[in-house]
Amino acid sequence: MASFKREIGVLSCFLVLIILAFGGLLWRVYDLKHNQKATFEESSRVQRSAVVPEKPRRGLIMDAKGRVLAASSKVYHAYADPKDLKDFPDQILVAAGRLQEILGIPGPEICEMIENSSSPRYVRLKSNLTETEIAQLKEANLRGIGIEPDWDRAYPAGQLTSHLLGFVGADKTGLSGLEMEYNPVLAGTSGRQVYVVDALRRPIAAQTLAGRDAQNGLNLVLTVDSVIQRFVHEALKAKMEEYEAESAVAVVMNPWTGGILAMVSLPDYDPAEFRTTPADRMRNRVLTDPFEPGSIFKPIVATIGLESGRVGYTETFYCEDGFWSKYGGIGEFGNHKYGNMSVRSIIIHSSNVGMAKMGLKMGEQNLYDGLKLFGFSARTGVDLPGEEPGLVWSLKRWSKWSITRIPFGHEVMVTPLQICRAYSILANGGYVVKPHVVRAIVDDDGRIIQDKQPPTGAGYIIDSDVASWMVQKALVDVVNEGTGDQAKLENCQAWGKTGTANIAVDGHYDWRNYVASFVGGAPADKPAVVVLVSIRKPNRSLGKGYSGGRVAAPVVHDILENTLAYLGIPKPESEIMSEPQIAAR
């Protein structure tokens, strides 16, 4: 009886074990079928599929007339999958032997590239394949060898627009200029294509439902006109080379809208060669290099004085016959000797003493407030990267001499773009404009996705009568009678101001080198453009001069002459460049 019970017990245990085993198997089947279904389906899909990323085409950059300045073209590269080949070592030799014939690369070199690849799944063998190479690779159908589509970025204008456009890196991300500023707009969105592959990982068919198309980038239309850009580049480069100068900048702006028609910074570079270009050549000095402006600052300060009511149009200032011993001693450029001078004469003949006394007359607070109102010591907000704000010290940091030095362009740091905007405010009758280089973002069909032109006609900071007087009564005669005669035009009235500025270095001035500038525009009655030219360190030892009137004004003359003729100016008033209709204040 006891033996029977033991047998029953053993049998029961055996049955329990069998039940548990079958239960475990049933649970495993359930787990595989339901809980891990997605995992195994994905694993199976990966084994029978290949995912090929699809790169979007980067958007175009076009000038104001639709001329292409930056574009991407389709190219193809040959690549290898090292892991796929290393799993079948004999296939490396087979692939290398055939690729040697097709690509013209020695077989041992191809083997070395595959063996030493830093990426386990990708190594590029050759870029920019020819049509013949593409056809032969497809026909060869080699294991682990593929053809990769890509986009090559090109800049047809080369150095002409290098600082404006910038360039893209190896990953097609913008690294400077508009390419960097508008990278999210230009870049587009990547896609992917999924293919069913055979045992050798060769595509059999496309899985269209699993893939997604790449979305190409949008396009930029600029305010910049490449014809005017060329006028500026050629004139500026010729003068810089003639005077063996260190660097030079120029800006052409529509004073009514703030649209930049041309912007040149020298030395420049070829965007296609950016990897081997010294960083100093890639700096856009229009934005990144504030400088003490010298006498081109005088009309702005005089305008602030007139606007404040502290200085009168007919008021005269005694200019001390060329040297004023007070306030640390102030002399005149070229040792000129001036007596009593009106505001207009001080601007025409560029008297430092007269401007110093004008500064004293208006007072520190009025001068400081006026400079801030013009936007100095703040970025203009131009749609380009790297803009510096310049510098106007707070009043508590002004010395006892600051009120006499700032009026003739010392003890402040400004960018060329800030000066160009300030003169645009004078040219348009007193309202603020925002400098910009992008007019619109458009799609491939030309539809405007976003209008990028800032609003105009609001935000007057200077009375229109004051602004008009400064341009038409003072700055016109700088060209007709004063230091800016080299900018005079035959068929149109130009206006502007010269500047020959000392260079501040480590708290003192470099008395051997100067920045020669001229800024102005034309026509005087309704300016179509404002032009700034600034040339740093013209070589004085050449004996040809170094002043703004001698070095920079002739460049502005050439730019104005060519640009106005290109724009068809002078012409009937109804056809003059479009500007906003501004209601009287």
Side-chain angles (χ1 to χ4, degrees):
M1 188 69 179
S3 175
F4 176 76
K5 288 182 178 181
R6 282 197 300 272
E7 289 177 0
I8 292 297
V10 171
L11 182 61
S12 298
C13 290
F14 182 70
L15 289 174
V16 169
L17 290 173
I18 291 175
I19 292 170
L20 290 175
F22 274 100
L25 288 172
L26 290 173
W27 167 251
R28 181 58 175 164
V29 170
Y30 178 84
D31 181 56
L32 291 174
K33 185 175 181 180
H34 297 282
N35 297 340
Q36 299 190 48
K37 177 182 179 182
T39 301
F40 283 98
E41 284 184 347
E42 177 65 15
S43 176
S44 174
R45 186 192 65 79
V46 169
Q47 291 176 7
R48 69 174 186 269
S49 303
V51 178
V52 179
E54 184 180 9
K55 299 177 181 179
R57 191 206 68 206
R58 194 170 179 86
L60 299 171
I61 302 179
M62 297 170 283
D63 83 345
K65 298 298 177 61
R67 306 178 187 98
V68 175
L69 302 178
S72 296
S73 57
K74 199 85 174 255
V75 294
Y76 295 89
H77 312 307
Y79 73 93
D81 182 339
K83 182 179 185 304
D84 197 17
L85 286 168
K86 289 176 183 178
D87 289 343
F88 300 89
D90 60 314
Q91 292 297 317
I92 296 180
L93 297 177
V94 172
R98 188 72 180 94
L99 291 173
Q100 179 175 264
E101 301 173 5
I102 298 172
L103 303 181
I105 302 174
E109 186 176 329
I110 292 174
C111 290
E112 185 177 355
M113 292 168 67
I114 294 171
E115 290 290 345
N116 298 331
S117 172
S118 59
S119 170
R121 301 307 304 260
Y122 177 89
V123 58
R124 182 176 294 181
L125 302 176
K126 187 174 182 180
S127 300
N128 301 325
L129 299 174
T130 65
E131 291 184 5
T132 300
E133 290 170 337
I134 293 171
Q136 290 178 346
L137 282 173
K138 288 181 177 178
E139 183 180 355
N141 198 20
L142 298 168
R143 181 186 183 91
I145 305 299
I147 300 172
E148 173 191 26
D150 198 2
W151 295 98
D152 183 47
R153 195 66 164 171
Y155 303 94
Q159 295 180 207
L160 183 66
T161 54
S162 56
H163 288 104
L164 279 168
L165 303 185
F167 52 85
V168 297
D171 62 352
K172 311 306 179 193
T173 299
L175 299 180
S176 73
L178 288 170
E179 294 278 29
M180 177 179 177
E181 185 74 10
Y182 284 89
N183 188 70
V185 172
L186 293 165
T189 305
S190 296
R192 69 174 192 173
Q193 299 301 325
V194 182
Y195 296 93
V196 178
V197 296
D198 62 15
L200 296 180
R201 305 293 292 171
R202 294 175 298 195
I204 299 173
Q207 291 184 348
T208 55
L209 294 178
R212 63 173 182 271
D213 292 332
Q215 299 297 315
N216 291 333
L218 295 171
N219 311 305
L220 303 182
V221 178
L222 308 186
T223 60
V224 174
D225 189 309
S226 57
V227 172
I228 300 175
Q229 181 82 0
R230 189 168 295 280
F231 292 153
V232 175
H233 189 273
E234 290 178 354
L236 189 65
K237 185 177 182 182
K239 190 63 67 174
M240 177 179 161
E241 292 176 349
E242 178 187 347
Y243 279 83
E244 299 177 1
E246 178 184 273
S247 61
V249 297
V251 180
V252 180
M253 185 182 291
N254 180 331
W256 307 95
T257 66
I260 294 171
L261 307 182
M263 179 186 288
V264 175
S265 174
L266 298 176
D268 52 21
Y269 67 99
D270 185 345
E273 305 295 333
F274 76 90
R275 292 178 180 83
T276 58
T277 301
D280 183 65
R281 297 182 69 90
M282 293 192 288
R283 195 169 73 246
N284 187 348
R285 289 168 167 81
V286 174
L287 307 175
T288 64
D289 287 21
F291 67 108
E292 289 200 359
S295 295
I296 58 175
F297 210 56
K298 291 172 180 174
I300 299 164
V301 173
T303 298
I304 294 169
L306 293 170
E307 175 74 11
S308 70
R310 294 295 188 94
V311 176
Y313 291 101
T314 60
E315 187 172 356
T316 60
F317 297 85
Y318 178 52
C319 296
E320 304 289 338
D321 292 323
F323 184 79
W324 193 22
S325 60
K326 293 184 177 181
Y327 294 94
I330 299 171
E332 303 289 12
F333 180 77
N335 297 317
H336 290 292
K337 300 182 184 301
Y338 302 125
N340 288 319
M341 300 182 78
S342 66
V343 175
R344 176 178 169 275
S345 294
I346 289 170
I347 297 297
I348 292 172
H349 299 289
S350 201
S351 169
N352 293 337
V353 176
M355 288 304 305
K357 291 193 172 184
M358 202 182 303
L360 288 167
K361 185 70 184 298
M362 72 175 71
E364 291 182 349
Q365 191 67 56
N366 283 313
L367 177 55
Y368 177 80
D369 291 344
L371 295 179
K372 300 294 283 187
L373 202 59
F374 265 96
F376 293 108
S377 79
R379 295 176 178 86
T380 67
V382 66
D383 46 350
L384 286 167
E387 183 184 18
E388 291 292 330
L391 178 65
V392 175
W393 292 113
S394 62
L395 281 176
K396 65 182 180 181
R397 299 191 65 176
W398 284 25
S399 72
K400 62 182 179 180
W401 293 347
S402 297
I403 190 61
T404 63
R405 296 308 195 273
I406 292 173
F408 55 86
H410 283 202
E411 292 194 23
V412 292
M413 299 290 283
V414 303
T415 65
L417 193 60
Q418 288 173 333
I419 288 290
C420 208
R421 178 181 63 176
Y423 274 72
S424 292
I425 292 170
L426 298 181
N428 67 34
Y431 66 86
V432 177
V433 293
K434 181 180 180 180
H436 59 285
V437 294
V438 175
R439 182 178 177 183
I441 299 171
V442 302
D443 64 15
D444 288 340
D445 295 322
R447 291 188 295 266
I448 295 177
I449 304 302
Q450 186 177 2
D451 186 342
K452 297 294 292 183
Q453 295 191 100
T456 57
Y460 279 90
I461 63 169
I462 297 295
D463 186 273
S464 59
D465 291 337
V466 175
S468 296
W469 183 91
M470 182 55 65
V471 170
Q472 298 181 27
K473 300 298 183 183
L475 296 180
V476 159
D477 286 333
V478 170
V479 173
N480 293 341
E481 305 173 18
T483 58
D485 61 303
Q486 294 293 308
K488 189 179 297 184
L489 302 173
E490 289 187 9
N491 301 318
C492 187
Q493 180 60 64
W495 53 274
K497 183 69 185 75
T498 56
T500 310
N502 298 111
I503 298 175
V505 181
D506 298 328
H508 65 277
Y509 287 106
D510 176 0
W511 296 103
R512 295 179 56 81
N513 294 293
Y514 294 84
V515 177
S517 303
F518 187 92
V519 56
D525 60 340
K526 187 173 288 188
V529 292
V530 165
V531 180
L532 174 139
V533 167
S534 185
I535 299 177
R536 182 180 175 86
K537 293 187 178 182
N539 188 348
R540 295 179 62 186
S541 67
L542 297 174
K544 297 191 294 186
Y546 58 93
S547 68
R550 180 63 64 89
V551 181
V555 183
V556 174
H557 168 275
D558 292 347
I559 293 171
L560 284 173
E561 189 172 62
N562 288 321
T563 299
L564 294 177
Y566 172 70
L567 296 174
I569 297 171
K571 57 187 176 182
E573 184 175 337
S574 61
E575 297 180 17
I576 290 179
M577 288 182 71
S578 63
E579 63 257 5
Q581 299 298 311
I582 308 301
R585 291 193 297 167

